[in-house]
């Protein structure tokens, strides 16, 4: 059983919480509360300061496709069922032309495009991240690189807000796990797409997300809009999503959907499952609205352009 699920069951009881779970609390997790103006990093200033957190706000620009549940009449194929335990599922698809309008980096920029799912790169048991999860109970997005935490209508910059104290709040173990997981995903992507892992760079934003059925407080919380990551985030060439909770056990709705011309193809989240794909419009996608419970995931993305590369998030 996963810690996140246990922690969440205490923090936000759900009708799905099975009885008899060990009650856990987060004693080390301080509440930022309503931030002092000096400590606030609004989304815009974060973005102005070098890219920052773009996330879902920009997705609105690509609206116009049915939202919420899967559209009636839309044929849906399941690429990965929650109960599957997949080693290396991969579907190749033709690349879009999106990459032509960006500088090409041979040996990295996608020539082979597609989407893959694996349950064999990360085990469910290792996905603990307790110090990150403390904050995710209070926020919908935690951007590890910038420290931006979205809380209701506000963005708080955790690194500025807590300063040196952040080292007492976040643990090095969580950052080390993040680095390890990032590396393993990067290697898998490189292997599947036939490129060199050293030609890929982590890019921003890289963030934890919490999605539930409560009304979006701001447009940043509107995770369900169809979008193309390369359009939304610019620097992305390869997107990966690491799921931390289970579809239909921890939450309902919230499936990931590739929106192809002929059909939708779903990936049902499963804790430890990595879904990865080339970031161009060959992989238009969205997330179904969550109907109940809480869905946790991490978006970890890569660019081929060293100019947009970032280092691993660091503690302090
Ligand atoms: O969490 C997911 O399944 C998808 C999130 C997403 O599309 C994104 O971060 O760009
Ligand atoms: Fe996306």
């Amino acid at each position: 059983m996963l810690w996140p699920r246990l922690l969440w069951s205490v923090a936000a009881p759900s009708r799905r919480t099975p009885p008899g779970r060990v009650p856990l609390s987060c004693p080390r997790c301080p509440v930022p509360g309503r931030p002092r103006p000096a400590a606030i990093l609004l989304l815009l200033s974060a973005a102005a300061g070098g890219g920052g957190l773009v996330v879902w706000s920009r997705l609105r620009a690509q609206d116009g496709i049915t939202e919420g549940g899967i559209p009636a009449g839309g044929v849906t194929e399941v690429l990965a069922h929650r109960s599957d335990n997949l080693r290396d599922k991969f579907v190749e698809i033709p690349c879009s032309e999106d990459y032509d309008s960006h500088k090409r980096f041979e040996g990295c920029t996608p020539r082979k495009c597609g989407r893959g799912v694996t349950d064999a790169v990360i085990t469910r048991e290792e996905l603990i991240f307790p110090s990150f999860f403390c904050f995710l109970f209070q926020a919908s997005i935690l951007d590890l690189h910038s420290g931006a935490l979205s809380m209701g209508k506000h963005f708080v910059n955790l690194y500025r807000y807590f300063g040196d104290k952040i080292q007492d709040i976040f643990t090095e173990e969580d950052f080390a796990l993040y680095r390890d997981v990032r590396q393993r995903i990067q290697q898998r992507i490189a292997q599947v797409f036939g490129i060199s892992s050293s030609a890929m760079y982590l890019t921003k934003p890289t963030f934890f997300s919490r999605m539930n059925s409560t009304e979006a407080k701001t447009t940043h919380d509107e995770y369900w809009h169809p979008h193309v990551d390369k359009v939304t985030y610019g620097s992305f060439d390869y997107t990966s999503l690491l799921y931390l909770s289970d579809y239909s056990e921890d939450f309902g709705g919230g499936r990931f959907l590739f929106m192809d011309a002929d059909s939708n193809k779903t990936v049902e989240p499963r804790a430890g499952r990595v879904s990865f794909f080339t970031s161009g419009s060959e992989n238009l996608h969205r997330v179904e609205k969550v109907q109940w419970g809480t869905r946790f995931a991490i978006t970890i993305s890569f660019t081929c352009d060293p100019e947009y590369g970032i280092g691993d998030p660091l503690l302090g």
Side-chain angles (χ1 to χ4, degrees), residues 227 229 233 285:
H227 64 281
D229 287 347
Y233 304 110
H285 61 273

Side-chain angles (χ1 to χ4, degrees), residues 183-313:
Q183 230 153 20
R184 280 188 262 165
I185 295 175
Q186 183 168 342
Q187 277 159 7
R188 171 56 66 104
I189 292 175
Q191 184 191 25
V192 169
F193 290 96
I195 59 174
S196 159
S197 154
S198 59
M200 303 163 64
Y201 306 89
L202 182 68
T203 191
K204 60 187 173 186
T206 173
F207 58 94
F208 282 69
S209 61
R210 185 200 64 182
M211 299 174 184
N212 57 28
S213 59
T214 58
E215 212 165 282
K217 302 277 187 313
T218 69
T219 55
H220 316 306
D221 292 334
E222 295 183 6
Y223 55 80
W224 52 83
H225 298 286
H227 64 281
V228 170
D229 287 347
K230 188 138 196 74
V231 177
T232 305
Y233 304 110
S235 61
F236 286 27
D237 288 304
Y238 299 92
T239 303
S240 75
L241 302 161
L242 168 59
Y243 293 110
L244 306 175
S245 47
D246 290 323
Y247 167 71
S248 90
E249 246 192 61
D250 298 320
F251 60 89
R255 289 178 294 181
F256 178 97
L257 271 82
F258 288 111
M259 306 179 72
D260 295 341
D262 57 339
S263 69
N264 291 314
K265 292 166 185 94
T266 63
V267 174
E268 298 179 354
R270 168 187 163 98
R273 170 164 289 168
V274 178
S275 167
F276 57 93
F277 48 88
T278 44
S279 310
S281 49
E282 67 278 5
N283 281 315
L284 173 71
H285 61 273
R286 70 182 180 89
V287 177
E288 277 181 293
K289 278 187 176 170
V290 171
Q291 304 296 337
W292 57 264
T294 306
R295 175 195 199 267
F296 292 106
I298 317 180
T299 299
I300 303 177
S301 299
F302 301 95
T303 183
C304 296
D305 187 344
E307 213 177 299
Y308 292 103
I310 60 168
D312 279 311

Side-chain angles (χ1 to χ4, degrees), residues 140-162:
S140 53
I141 300 166
L142 166 60
D143 183 301
L144 274 190
H145 184 76
S146 68
L149 185 76
S150 82
M151 295 187 56
K153 293 193 166 146
H154 303 279
F155 267 84
V156 180
N157 188 296
L158 284 180
Y159 299 154
R160 286 200 200 166
Y161 191 88
F162 289 109

